[in-house]
Amino acid sequence: MKIIAIDPGNINSAYVIMDCEYRIYDKGLLPNEELLKILKTEKYDELIIEMIASYGMAVGKTVFDTCVWIGRFIESCVCRKIPYYQIYRMEEKMCICHSQKAKDCNIRQALIDRFGEIGTKKNPGWFYGFKKDIWAAYAVGVTYIDTYFNIKK
């Protein structure tokens, strides 16, 4: 079974296509329109997407634009009858780092500790080619598998 995990943004979004054994098949950081094309054509069994939560602070246009893109990504799956799941950032922090205070660098390090090094061009590791928000997209997928997938079996 393949899933596509997304860390959405207002202009660009990161994605990782992976299986439930955590193996990575594809990854990238793309403009949202290009990612939407992938969602409409790529073969995958479930969409896992990070959802925005309100913590009482004022937000601006970029957050609302991201919400629109989350809806568009989900709609593309609904039209194809592909199930989707929303993962909140706090779930990721608790699942991967066991702390609500975890930052991006803590999540990145916890993933490296669990799955292996980044590696080099000559000797690629588990995370070779990862950059920026791709780490967050992988964290979304890992959280889903750890928290929900194994329960469904």
Side-chain angles (χ1 to χ4, degrees), residues 68-125:
V68 169
W69 278 105
I70 291 169
R72 291 188 70 189
F73 294 151
I74 289 171
E75 181 184 33
S76 72
C77 294
V78 169
C79 290
R80 294 178 64 194
K81 296 183 170 55
I82 294 172
Y84 68 92
Y85 298 88
Q86 299 169 339
I87 301 290
Y88 291 91
R89 184 80 172 145
M90 199 60 66
E91 288 179 271
E92 291 170 46
K93 291 178 177 187
M94 291 305 297
C95 176
I96 295 170
C97 296
H98 311 292
S99 171
Q100 294 179 0
K101 295 179 181 181
K103 306 271 190 249
D104 287 348
C105 62
N106 303 117
I107 292 171
R108 180 181 184 272
Q109 188 60 54
L111 291 172
I112 290 170
D113 291 347
R114 180 172 172 183
F115 295 103
E117 288 297 321
I118 297 168
T120 63
K121 189 173 183 176
K122 285 186 176 183
N123 188 20

Side-chain angles (χ1 to χ4, degrees), residues 1-68:
M1 182 168 118
K2 284 189 183 175
I3 64 172
I4 185 166
I6 297 177
D7 177 42
N10 63 317
I11 297 170
N12 299 306
S13 294
Y15 74 96
V16 175
I17 298 175
M18 58 196 287
D19 65 22
C20 292
E21 301 293 323
Y22 308 98
R23 286 184 296 261
I24 301 157
Y25 293 90
D26 194 15
K27 63 190 176 301
L29 179 63
L30 296 173
N32 289 337
E33 289 289 348
E34 288 182 39
L35 182 54
L36 192 58
K37 289 176 189 173
I38 288 173
L39 288 173
K40 291 178 178 180
T41 59
E42 184 72 33
K43 289 188 177 190
Y44 56 94
D45 300 296
E46 294 177 334
L47 165 70
I48 317 303
I49 192 162
E50 186 175 277
M51 186 59 188
I52 292 173
S54 171
Y55 296 105
M57 300 297 291
V59 296
K61 181 181 182 324
T62 59
V63 171
F64 292 109
D65 288 346
T66 301
C67 289
V68 169

